[in-house]
Amino acid sequence: MSTSLAGLRIVVSAGPTYEDIDPVRFIGNRSSGKMGFAIAAAAAQRGAQVRLIAGPVHQPTPRDVQRTDVRSAAQMHAAVLSALPADVYIGAAAVADFTPRSFAGSKIKKQPGEEGLTLQLVRTRDILADVAAHPQRPRLVLGFAAETDEVERYARGKLERKRVDLIAANRVGVEGSGFESDDNALQLFWPGGERALGPASKQVLADALLDLIGERLAAMTPLASPRTDQT
Ligand code: CTP
């Protein structure tokens, strides 16, 4: 039996972001959005109120999910923060870490004799860290980490640095898992614990992830109830 999430407000980000260079070019990545969409679908099936903030993907909107489409990391940042307050944030999007310093309003043309082009990039704002530091911080904040090596060390580093409650790490570059595939394997880390999920389909993983989120929420100290004694 899967844990009910009835009444919980869950915000999920999914897919890549596209950072425009000029009217015809952008910097993107290979995220398909499948993992985030599978989580959103499974959470809605369990009765949660789901807001899905999606980068540019080719995925149908899951049933009973309220979807907002965005393109850039800056737009995703604004859309996620405006979806708060929420009980849970799941940052499954592959957000660009860097964006062009400026957008060229007309197409960049090759200049005669020009052998290279240097693009200036600046850091994007970290949505996950900003949600975790927000005055309306969700009770549980989950981030993803794509790692090629030293999975646990990097994942635990992100847990602390971004002050989140759970990190779902997946090893990229391994056959049968990762960005474009239908299957994946996740290693979940939280302060004082870890659990391996999969390899399995992204639907099965989404369900297992929501079970764990239910467990972690139940394990967190409930908010202190107001004192009624008068001393
Ligand atoms: N993330 C975010 N906003 C950004 C960048 C990343 O919210 N501007 C979130 C992603 O949604 C994901 C997690 O942060 O949940 C991934 O963390 P990040 O440090 O970007 O991971 P990597 O790209 O794997 O980082 P690194 O380059 O340090 O390996």
Side-chain angles (χ1 to χ4, degrees), residues 13 73 89-97 124-129 142-147 154 158 161-162 167:
S13 69
Y89 174 66
I90 301 175
V95 187
D97 291 322
T124 57
R125 290 166 74 183
D126 193 311
I127 303 167
L128 187 63
L142 181 150
F144 276 74
E147 309 293 353
Y154 288 131
K158 274 173 205 172
R161 212 171 46 248
K162 302 197 185 194
I167 286 281

Side-chain angles (χ1 to χ4, degrees), residues 20 24 38 41-42 77 84-85 103 108 110 117 156 174 181 220:
D20 289 326
V24 294
H77 187 279
L84 300 181
F103 172 75
I108 300 171
K110 293 183 292 297
L117 174 72
R156 288 211 179 272
V174 178
S181 149
M220 284 174 171

Side-chain angles (χ1 to χ4, degrees), residues 102-124:
S102 57
F103 172 75
S106 43
K107 188 181 166 202
I108 300 171
K109 304 295 286 177
K110 293 183 292 297
Q111 301 304 323
E114 198 178 39
E115 290 303 321
L117 174 72
T118 303
L119 267 182
Q120 283 222 33
L121 304 179
V122 292
R123 280 289 287 271
T124 57

Side-chain angles (χ1 to χ4, degrees), residues 20-207:
D20 289 326
I21 298 169
D22 71 13
V24 294
R25 305 180 179 98
F26 61 86
I27 300 170
N29 64 68
R30 295 181 178 200
S31 168
S32 64
K34 282 178 191 160
M35 190 70 238
F37 273 64
I39 294 168
Q45 269 173 21
R46 293 175 185 221
Q49 284 173 38
V50 183
R51 292 283 313 269
L52 174 61
I53 315 297
V57 291
H58 299 281
Q59 301 287 342
T61 306
R63 231 186 132 110
D64 298 326
V65 165
Q66 194 186 335
R67 171 177 180 173
T68 303
D69 286 320
V70 297
R71 180 173 173 86
S72 65
Q75 288 170 359
M76 187 171 276
H77 187 279
V80 167
L81 290 201
S82 72
L84 300 181
D87 301 293
V88 176
Y89 174 66
I90 301 175
V95 187
D97 291 322
F98 295 94
T99 191
R101 181 178 293 279
S102 57
F103 172 75
S106 43
K107 188 181 166 202
I108 300 171
K109 304 295 286 177
K110 293 183 292 297
Q111 301 304 323
E114 198 178 39
E115 290 303 321
L117 174 72
T118 303
L119 267 182
Q120 283 222 33
L121 304 179
V122 292
R123 280 289 287 271
T124 57
R125 290 166 74 183
D126 193 311
I127 303 167
L128 187 63
D130 286 358
V131 168
H134 198 273
Q136 291 177 308
R137 184 192 198 280
R139 268 205 293 152
L140 189 145
V141 177
L142 181 150
F144 276 74
E147 309 293 353
T148 52
D149 53 300
E150 296 204 60
V151 177
E152 172 154 14
R153 189 162 74 85
Y154 288 131
R156 288 211 179 272
K158 274 173 205 172
L159 200 60
E160 278 185 24
R161 212 171 46 248
K162 302 197 185 194
R163 299 183 187 286
V164 301
D165 306 293
L166 265 176
I167 286 281
N170 66 313
R171 194 184 282 274
V172 287
V174 178
E175 216 169 292
S177 68
F179 273 3
E180 287 162 319
S181 149
D182 286 328
D183 281 16
N184 202 359
L186 295 176
Q187 190 78 23
L188 274 295
F189 297 97
W190 63 93
E194 68 175 278
R195 184 178 299 173
L197 303 180
S201 72
K202 289 182 177 173
Q203 282 70 27
V204 168
L205 281 180
D207 258 316

